[in-house]
Amino acid sequence: MKRQAICLLLTIDHELPYNFYIEIGRKNSVTEEIIQENTVVNVQLEAMDDLIGLFGIFDENLHIIEEETGTRVTASEQGIRIEGDPESAAQTAAVIEKMLGMQRNGDKINRGKLRYAIELAKEGNADLIDSIMKDVVAVTSRGKQVKCRTIGQKKYVAALKEYELVFGIGPAGTGKTYLAVAMAVLALKNKEVDRIILTRPAVEAGEKLGFLPGDLQSKVDPYLRPLYDALQEFLGNEGYRQYTERGMIEVAPLAYMRGRTLNNAYIILDEAQNCSVEQMKMFLTRFGEGSRVVVTGDITQIDLPAGKKSGLIHALDVLKEVEGISIVRLTYKDVVRHDLVQKIITAYDRYEKHERPAERERQT
């Protein structure tokens, strides 16, 4: 049977940054019931050096693009040639163009950024890739720019700027605490607040640590270490020491908050899922005039004794209708750690929703 080919040369709106050339080939299968369409999109390059960063070491980025989009991507005389179904080819072209633009602006392309950009394109949000990747939230003591890397993070930072009380809920690796600390340091430097207070409940994560040597501060330091690390990254060791000596930064266990009224402070409660109901109520009634409060937690990792209700879950139910409070829920899509962390969280969620209930039913 003869192959019928239709070639279309389209004039695309000038706002699209890439040349769009479509070649549609229709080939009847043996049964003459399946129609296969091949679309080719060419993305022009400014220089061949663009390919090195885009494709990655040993073409690792290229493999991700092809795996996630189902397209075939190769280098050609016209630039980058993308072949696949019309929708996937167009999405891939948009992602590649955005990644090239980032690279030309000095940003490095990594697997996390690439996968998230592809996901945005699949959801029809390719136009948001630029704005998300370009948003600079803060700068570390070493000059590294901290940016929102997902839509969820962008919404979270927007809430931190607008609301006096924000709940940031989500799995590990979504940047809940890190971004909150970044915004707190920014507020302190801009003199919007007089001090930063970071606190956590001192709860062991599923294991008994036993006796810890040293004074009281030494005993609680292991629980607060992640908060110290985040502060030191933004302020540097010397800056952190100076702010601490002046009383402008305080890192303390949640129990230290009782009986205090905290004015003109940026207060962050981390690991809030491990608060009791009573502790959460106590904490939320501490802040006074000119203060901002951020509560972060992961309701899938509660280390409280069996039968004891999490104060975070209780607070989310009680306060969900209260005006002036923002509750931002981050998901596995917002995880910015190693690629495997996203997959691990998804696997655990799937187990909790489907396999675990079935296991319980078998045991009964």
Side-chain angles (χ1 to χ4, degrees):
M1 184 170 290
K2 293 182 179 180
R3 182 175 184 271
Q4 294 181 341
I6 305 174
C7 291
L8 303 177
L9 183 59
L10 302 181
T11 302
I12 302 298
D13 187 274
H14 67 280
E15 292 181 358
L16 288 178
Y18 46 80
N19 291 338
F20 211 116
Y21 176 77
I22 298 182
E23 178 184 76
I24 303 176
R26 297 195 173 188
K27 183 177 181 180
N28 293 337
S29 66
V30 176
T31 61
E32 296 187 6
E33 293 179 358
I34 300 175
I35 297 177
Q36 182 180 348
E37 293 187 353
N38 294 318
T39 300
V40 175
V41 179
N42 290 309
V43 179
Q44 289 186 338
L45 296 173
E46 291 183 3
M48 290 305 292
D49 288 346
D50 288 344
L51 287 176
I52 299 173
L54 177 65
F55 283 11
I57 300 173
F58 300 117
D59 290 344
E60 65 173 356
N61 292 343
L62 175 62
H63 297 323
I64 290 174
I65 294 172
E66 292 184 329
E67 178 186 333
E68 296 289 332
T69 64
T71 57
R72 185 168 183 270
V73 182
T74 55
S76 69
E77 292 180 358
Q78 289 76 30
I80 299 173
R81 185 178 187 274
I82 304 161
E83 183 176 354
D85 67 78
E87 185 177 9
S88 296
Q91 291 170 352
T92 304
V95 169
I96 287 176
E97 187 66 29
K98 299 294 185 184
M99 292 296 102
L100 288 173
M102 284 175 47
Q103 187 172 257
R104 289 162 190 155
N105 290 329
D107 291 336
K108 291 184 178 179
I109 300 173
N110 59 40
R111 292 177 297 179
K113 289 180 181 178
L114 195 54
R115 289 186 190 278
Y116 191 69
I118 291 170
E119 194 160 336
L120 284 177
K122 287 181 177 179
E123 294 172 353
N125 294 319
D127 56 322
L128 295 178
I129 296 173
D130 276 338
S131 61
I132 290 173
M133 303 296 182
K134 286 179 180 178
D135 279 349
V136 177
V137 177
V139 179
T140 68
S141 61
R142 296 187 177 183
K144 178 185 175 184
Q145 293 182 336
V146 177
K147 303 178 181 180
C148 294
R149 293 167 60 180
T150 70
I151 290 178
Q153 286 188 347
K154 191 176 178 69
K155 291 178 179 177
Y156 181 47
V157 169
L160 292 174
K161 292 177 180 178
E162 182 178 351
Y163 291 89
E164 292 181 336
L165 174 55
V166 177
F167 286 84
I169 315 301
T174 51
K176 305 181 298 294
T177 305
Y178 188 76
L179 290 173
V181 171
M183 296 300 292
V185 170
L186 189 63
L188 182 64
K189 288 183 175 180
N190 290 339
K191 302 187 184 303
E192 296 172 15
V193 295
D194 296 333
R195 55 181 169 159
I196 297 173
I197 299 174
L198 286 80
T199 184
R200 265 186 171 194
V203 176
E204 296 164 342
E207 56 184 326
K208 297 297 181 183
L209 300 179
F211 173 77
L212 294 173
D215 58 18
L216 184 60
Q217 190 63 43
S218 299
K219 293 177 190 295
V220 299
D221 273 357
Y223 299 101
L224 304 172
R225 175 50 54 188
L227 301 179
Y228 292 132
D229 292 343
L231 281 170
Q232 287 169 358
E233 182 166 348
F234 286 105
L235 296 171
N237 293 335
E238 184 61 23
Y240 171 73
R241 184 185 64 79
Q242 291 177 359
Y243 277 110
T244 304
E245 287 178 353
R246 296 175 195 164
M248 299 172 72
I249 289 181
E250 179 182 344
V251 183
L254 182 59
Y256 285 23
M257 298 296 109
R258 187 175 295 278
R260 303 175 64 182
T261 299
L262 306 171
N263 296 316
N264 301 312
Y266 205 113
I267 312 159
I268 300 174
L269 170 59
D270 191 33
E271 297 289 334
Q273 74 275 6
N274 290 326
C275 293
S276 66
V277 173
E278 294 78 16
Q279 285 177 318
M280 180 61 75
K281 182 180 178 182
M282 177 273 294
F283 172 77
L284 292 176
T285 54
R286 293 307 94 198
F287 74 101
E289 291 296 324
S291 288
R292 305 179 78 86
V293 176
V294 184
V295 179
T296 68
D298 177 1
I299 57 177
T300 68
Q301 294 191 26
I302 297 174
D303 300 312
L304 293 171
K308 193 164 188 177
K309 186 168 185 178
S310 166
L312 177 59
I313 293 177
H314 181 262
L316 293 175
D317 288 338
V318 171
L319 303 175
K320 60 186 176 184
E321 302 295 336
V322 177
E323 189 176 350
I325 297 175
S326 175
I327 299 174
V328 181
R329 297 183 184 272
L330 303 171
T331 70
Y332 72 93
K333 293 181 180 181
D334 301 300
V335 173
V336 292
R337 289 180 184 168
H338 194 284
D339 290 350
L340 278 177
V341 175
Q342 219 177 65
K343 296 178 181 178
I344 290 168
I345 291 170
T346 304
Y348 269 96
D349 285 346
R350 185 168 55 246
Y351 174 79
E352 291 292 331
K353 289 178 181 177
H354 303 292
E355 297 182 33
R356 190 171 181 179
E359 185 179 308
R360 288 173 180 162
E361 193 173 317
R362 286 195 298 269
Q363 290 174 352
T364 56

